[in-house]
Amino acid sequence: MTSNPAVRRLADWSAAELRALADEYGTPLYVQDLDRTRQNFDRVAAAFPDADVHYAVKANAGRAVLRALREAGASAECAAAGEVFRAIEAGYDPREVHYTAVNPPDADLDYVLDAAPEATFVVGARDTIDRLAERGFAGRLALRVHPGVGAGHSADVATGADAKFGVPHDEAASVLGEAAERGFDVVGIHAHVGSGMLDESDVASHREVVERLVEVARESPVDLSFVDVGGGFGVPYHPQEEPLDLESVAATTRDVLADVDAAIVVEPGRYLVADAGVLLTEVNTVKPTDGATLAGVDAGMTTLLRPALYGAHHEVRSLDADAADRDEDLVSVVGPICESTDVLAEDRRLPHPERGDLLAVGNAGAYGIEMVSQYNSRPRPAVVAVEGGDDRLVRERDELSTLTAPER
Ligand code: LLP
């Protein structure tokens, strides 16, 4: 049996293999290991043997990733019409799709009703139920509950505490009853604590969220076929952080839901893809300053937004063959964008950088390629998938002409 460790650190990637990929495909380059992606799914499926695992497509919606996870047994959680479109294109059965509609534009509702009417519509406002009723929909409906408890790697992603998401938990049971009376096929309830739970206190918040769901399930006038406890399973971004105790999250979830007669649904995104991806970038400029030496690279906040948006930490490793022989230096890795927030990594101990060095940025598989932009008219990067010892280009790098192609 092949081993399936709880975490793959940046140091575990083969420098020689990553160098070969950068040589072949250029930089900046996202590398996504589909075998590791499947391993991550397998650990979740093993920890939650009775649950349906819906992959939160927003973490990485690339077709290769969606197909690999579908083959591994995942269903899909989609936040927008575009994600539903991608899931169907990747072969997901619409019946396996949960469409978690957050303030859905009309065009999104109309598309999903047309393309995937058998999907489960997970709604977070009475208003959305009205809009579905106006469209004559009487299909599978689940209610997103606002639990009032959040957790995550940053307050910015502690969704459970944000009233934007879901119906207040003390109103949920009556909304479920009203929806059933209006002819919807009311099938479940959902809540999500936030993104990036890692330590015991985060797991305690997750427990509180599931407890709120149990209260709603008990008061519900409708029999529910599932309780969806969300995703948010975190990964360690710092080398000194321990991996999430997935067994404890699973045991907590099962324990709290023990007396509820409904299937469990989980919807992890990050956990399945983060440590299966790295971003490769090349140093083009080395600049001493009064503080850290600046290593200017060809990836920036347009390539990987997380550090600029959340102050998120991503490990950086020099892949140069002689890196280990160089003196260490205090280095900040900065991108090519005309913004002061365009910093990928600040004040890191790294081998003294040289122009042409290849750097790897860890845990880039989640919310990396998904959050790219073309700001400063930067072409979006390429993506390579590795699988079974082979590699293949799964997303082409933008050409400069891609930038103006949609303009009329
Ligand atoms: N389910 C729902 C309803 C969600 O809103 C989310 C994430 C997930 C599942 C998946 O969460 P995950 O398992 O990936 O933590 N861009 C941010 C993360 C935002 C997540 C938003 N919702 C980041 O880069 O950290």
Side-chain angles (χ1 to χ4, degrees), residues 56 58-59 77 100 144 153 157 159 165 190-192 194-197 230-234 237 267-271 306 309-310 366-367 371:
K58 63 175 80 67
E77 186 269 327
T100 316
R144 182 165 186 176
H153 66 74
V157 296
T159 342
F165 303 99
H190 163 276
H192 170 71
S195 195
M197 70 171 101
F233 309 161
Y237 283 86
E267 42 185 43
R270 184 189 319 270
Y271 193 87
R306 304 190 70 257
L309 190 60
Y310 313 115
Y367 305 106
M371 295 174 89

Side-chain angles (χ1 to χ4, degrees), residues 41-51 233 246-251 254:
F41 176 86
D42 290 345
R43 286 198 315 288
V44 173
F48 290 91
D50 304 326
F233 309 161
L246 197 60
E247 296 299 331
S248 144
V249 180
R254 265 195 303 273

Side-chain angles (χ1 to χ4, degrees), residues 186-269:
V186 175
V187 287
I189 50 176
H190 163 276
H192 170 71
V193 71
S195 195
M197 70 171 101
L198 202 58
D199 60 20
E200 280 176 26
S201 104
D202 295 334
V203 178
S205 301
H206 171 75
R207 170 182 272 273
E208 278 184 65
V209 167
V210 184
E211 284 167 353
R212 293 274 153 87
L213 286 174
V214 170
E215 284 162 25
V216 174
R218 288 219 177 96
E219 289 165 21
S220 170
V222 189
D223 284 341
L224 303 172
S225 51
F226 70 80
V227 175
D228 179 341
V229 300
F233 309 161
V235 299
Y237 283 86
H238 290 268
Q240 69 273 19
E241 277 171 344
E242 292 294 323
L244 173 71
D245 184 351
L246 197 60
E247 296 299 331
S248 144
V249 180
T252 300
T253 306
R254 265 195 303 273
D255 177 38
V256 179
L257 284 170
D259 296 331
V260 175
D261 183 20
I264 301 176
V265 173
V266 290
E267 42 185 43

